[in-house]
Amino acid sequence: MKIFKLPAFLFAITVSAGLLSVDAVASEPSVLPSWNDSTSRQDIINFVDAVTDKSSPGFVAPAERIAVFDNDGTLWSEKPAYFQLLFAIDRVKVMAADHPEWKTTQPFKAVLENDIDALADTGEKGLLELVMATHANMTTDEFTRIVTNWLAAAKHPRFKRPYNELVYQPMLEVLAYLRANDFKTFIVSGGGIEFMRPWVEAVYGIPPEQVVGSSIKTKFEVRDGRPVLVRLPELNFIDDKEGKPVGINQHIGRRPIAAFGNSDGDLQMLQWTAAGEGKRLMVLVHHTDAEREWAYDKDSHVGRLDKALVEAGANGWTVIDMKKDWKTIYPH
Amino acid sequence: MKIFKLPAFLFAITVSAGLLSVDAVASEPSVLPSWNDSTSRQDIINFVDAVTDKSSPGFVAPAERIAVFDNDGTLWSEKPAYFQLLFAIDRVKVMAADHPEWKTTQPFKAVLENDIDALADTGEKGLLELVMATHANMTTDEFTRIVTNWLAAAKHPRFKRPYNELVYQPMLEVLAYLRANDFKTFIVSGGGIEFMRPWVEAVYGIPPEQVVGSSIKTKFEVRDGRPVLVRLPELNFIDDKEGKPVGINQHIGRRPIAAFGNSDGDLQMLQWTAAGEGKRLMVLVHHTDAEREWAYDKDSHVGRLDKALVEAGANGWTVIDMKKDWKTIYPH
């Protein structure tokens, strides 16, 4: 096991000199420092110890150390609604000047009138129209700029901070800890792949090629002698529920040995991870902290956690109790 | 510039001691040893020098050093037909015992009678049927085993060797040389993504998560309490021509700075690579060696090279003359 932030050679010297037992290391605060000394923290450390110890029967070669993370509700918050939906709503308001017809057409009318009930009434069809109107009919480069500019300016309604500051400090530490132990960390999110890529490298240390997500189709075109990729108003792939193992296979082509989620949308990803040979780590973030973040599970429309929590209990998967297990929530 | 196989610290010492000038390094046979001292070899070395030299205006940060390689005809041979088609033909012959109807149904009848003209007459529709009959209706794990077993047993008709020994030694050296200089190397092939993944890591050093290719759809199912991904007889994505930049964007999410191809199917990938900012390397492998491999370009049905060769000439892209530039073709 390598210790996050403790140079490997120093650790090796320390251990070989018998100055530090492995048990002592596990409760060493330099590993996952924003975590209380909880079962969930210990599960993560025990797993990493087992798969990185060459003398352990659970040893896994570095190339096979694939860890996947849901994004919404697992790496950053998802309330009062998925941040990408809030982005789409903001975009409709900006774009409305060029679309006078939106004043009288749903789902745009509901958005412009801040009528959340009416928006909800438009259902999946309305949501899809909202996404296509705000996410398609521009080049991939233009969309990247739009997302980047929105993130730089928009503020979360409750915390009054940029959305990409509402990421979980304890999970940033898990990402770094796994990478320090030669894991490759991937995002596998129901969110849009191109909505995440512009910012996740700076925030999570996850490069664009390690992001799996939902997508619309794109088309190669040469415009004024310059090749571009145009985003089309047509669904390509929904990376949620049964789609997550499909997306993992399509993009990664190996089965992960560790998976982190927070909702029923992550259940199949956890099942797929659990079904592989050898040591596995399946983790659910349970939102239990109404004061510092939000408390919700089976009755929530956003990030519903019901079946996956039952299955976690039945299979001994790790469940993070956000309120009890995390010393801090956000980096700020 | 790091030298392939020369440890970095040794190189640093050698250079800092003034024992080796950079020009001397470029013609040093330890770099790309199977290449003659050609313009194409020099183009590759000059490019790597420029993007890895921090004092050069062309310097590119390691994370952005993405290089993409076509597979058929660029990393391994593609004659007398794409090896994946030869796989499908072999599979039809194995599976025919369970499909008596194939004796009288095209395209299977043509395959079973070794009637290449009749097979060609079935056109794209026939080819698609052949692919679906041999590539779908099994789990992803089963397909991996089928490909692995085929590669272990099948022999190329001309060279009497396993297909994955018909890879180009000079290109293996380019892959290793780029990786030694902190590039991430990706395959971007019209071939099937799941047909390549079982063997490309051992042969090219390219892990499954860095393979982009054509695909059929898969579906998550729980069979006998065990989750599986079932391969469906339905096209998902064709990673060829205009599809290559789309596949690159979908999987990698960054624009490559170097691209290697050999046919018109690679043209859009090279255009997409060329259109980025800063130093770029676009390379075509021109098959000019009828004796050691094959000689073909604009009149070939497999790996036709016509428009891309014209565009290479017009834009100063690098064209490898296989006969003149490569000392050896295959590793054996």
Side-chain angles (χ1 to χ4, degrees), chain B residues 248-322:
Chain B
I248 287 169
N249 186 61
Q250 181 69 18
H251 280 255
I252 309 178
R254 313 192 205 246
R255 196 188 296 252
I257 62 168
F260 295 73
N262 77 299
S263 79
D264 285 358
D266 302 313
L267 176 57
Q268 290 81 359
M269 173 170 86
L270 297 176
Q271 290 173 332
W272 181 244
T273 302
E277 301 289 319
K279 275 268 176 196
R280 304 278 144 173
L281 178 70
M282 281 63 63
V283 182
L284 282 173
V285 176
H286 191 186
H287 292 260
T288 52
D289 196 330
E291 199 178 318
R292 295 185 300 171
E293 206 241 9
W294 283 271
Y296 57 96
D297 45 38
K298 67 185 194 311
D299 298 322
S300 177
H301 285 291
V302 173
R304 183 192 311 272
L305 175 62
D306 184 3
K307 284 182 198 168
L309 195 58
V310 173
E311 198 149 326
N315 297 318
W317 296 348
T318 299
V319 179
I320 295 167
D321 182 329
M322 191 180 261

Side-chain angles (χ1 to χ4, degrees), chain A residues 256 296 299:
Chain A
Y296 58 96
D299 298 321

Side-chain angles (χ1 to χ4, degrees), chain A residues 188 237 239-250 268-270 272, chain B residues 218 220 229:
Chain A
V188 178
F237 181 63
D239 190 52
D240 197 30
K241 301 191 174 75
E242 288 82 1
K244 289 206 174 191
V246 171
I248 287 169
N249 185 61
Q250 180 70 18
Q268 290 81 0
M269 173 170 86
L270 297 176
W272 180 244
Chain B
T218 61
F220 179 86
L229 287 171

Side-chain angles (χ1 to χ4, degrees), chain A:
Chain A
M1 184 185 75
K2 260 184 260 168
I3 304 300
F4 174 46
K5 283 184 179 162
L6 181 66
F9 74 92
L10 190 60
F11 174 68
I13 291 166
T14 320
V15 168
S16 65
L19 298 174
L20 200 63
S21 77
V22 170
D23 281 358
V25 166
S27 56
E28 170 69 39
S30 71
V31 182
L32 306 179
S34 299
W35 291 66
N36 288 312
D37 192 8
S38 59
T39 312
S40 58
R41 175 175 180 273
Q42 200 57 53
D43 284 353
I44 296 168
I45 292 171
N46 289 347
F47 170 76
V48 170
D49 284 353
V51 300
T52 58
D53 174 1
K54 280 197 174 167
S55 68
S56 153
F59 178 75
V60 175
E64 299 284 345
R65 292 182 201 159
I66 303 289
V68 291
F69 293 79
D70 169 59
N71 186 40
D72 297 309
T74 300
L75 295 179
W76 75 349
S77 293
E78 57 185 353
K79 294 276 183 179
Y82 295 125
F83 295 173
Q84 192 172 358
L85 178 59
L86 304 179
F87 161 77
I89 287 172
D90 283 355
R91 287 299 299 161
V92 164
K93 291 174 180 174
V94 169
M95 295 166 72
D98 296 327
H99 294 273
E101 75 280 10
W102 284 358
K103 280 186 193 148
T104 54
T105 330
Q106 293 297 17
F108 308 102
K109 182 170 181 287
V111 170
L112 296 174
E113 294 171 356
N114 294 311
D115 186 344
I116 296 297
D117 290 340
L119 179 59
D121 283 348
T122 68
E124 207 169 294
K125 185 171 164 288
L127 194 66
L128 201 63
E129 275 187 73
L130 197 61
V131 167
M132 293 309 174
T134 52
H135 288 65
N137 298 313
M138 72 280 277
T139 69
T140 49
D141 286 348
E142 285 162 359
F143 186 68
T144 297
R145 272 195 300 277
I146 290 168
V147 171
T148 304
N149 291 342
W150 177 77
L151 272 178
K155 294 272 164 52
H156 186 277
R158 175 174 165 194
F159 292 102
K160 317 293 180 203
R161 284 183 174 269
Y163 288 96
N164 56 2
E165 292 184 12
L166 301 182
V167 298
Y168 306 131
Q169 175 63 27
M171 294 303 285
L172 297 182
E173 293 168 7
V174 170
L175 288 167
Y177 173 57
L178 290 176
R179 288 194 293 260
N181 283 283
D182 296 329
F183 278 74
K184 251 190 184 176
T185 53
F186 288 78
I187 291 174
V188 178
S189 169
I193 190 167
E194 300 296 3
F195 179 75
M196 295 182 281
R197 280 175 167 157
W199 56 273
V200 295
E201 188 162 30
V203 174
Y204 302 140
I206 295 180
E209 62 268 27
Q210 286 164 223
V211 180
V212 184
S214 297
S215 57
I216 57 177
K217 289 196 189 294
T218 61
K219 184 170 178 280
F220 179 86
E221 272 183 26
V222 178
R223 286 185 177 176
D224 305 326
R226 208 182 148 75
V228 294
L229 288 171
V230 181
R231 294 169 58 80
L232 305 180
E234 189 184 343
L235 274 180
N236 179 56
F237 181 63
I238 300 287
D239 190 52
D240 197 30
K241 301 191 174 75
E242 288 82 1
K244 289 206 174 191
V246 171
I248 287 169
N249 185 61
Q250 180 70 18
H251 280 255
I252 309 178
R254 312 193 205 246
R255 197 189 295 253
I257 63 169
F260 295 74
N262 77 299
S263 80
D264 285 358
D266 302 313
L267 177 57
Q268 290 81 0
M269 173 170 86
L270 297 176
Q271 289 173 333
W272 180 244
T273 302
E277 302 289 320
K279 275 268 175 197
R280 304 277 144 173
L281 179 69
M282 282 63 62
V283 182
L284 282 173
V285 176
H286 191 186
H287 292 259
T288 52
D289 196 332
E291 198 177 319
R292 294 185 300 170
E293 206 242 8
W294 283 272
Y296 58 96
D297 45 38
K298 66 186 196 309
D299 298 321
S300 177
H301 285 291
V302 173
R304 183 193 310 272
L305 175 61
D306 184 4
K307 285 182 197 168
L309 195 58
V310 173
E311 199 151 324
N315 297 318
W317 296 346
T318 299
V319 178
I320 295 167
D321 182 327
M322 190 180 262
K323 186 174 180 176
K324 289 189 190 152
D325 296 357
W326 288 357
K327 284 184 194 162
T328 55
I329 306 286
Y330 300 125
H332 47 80

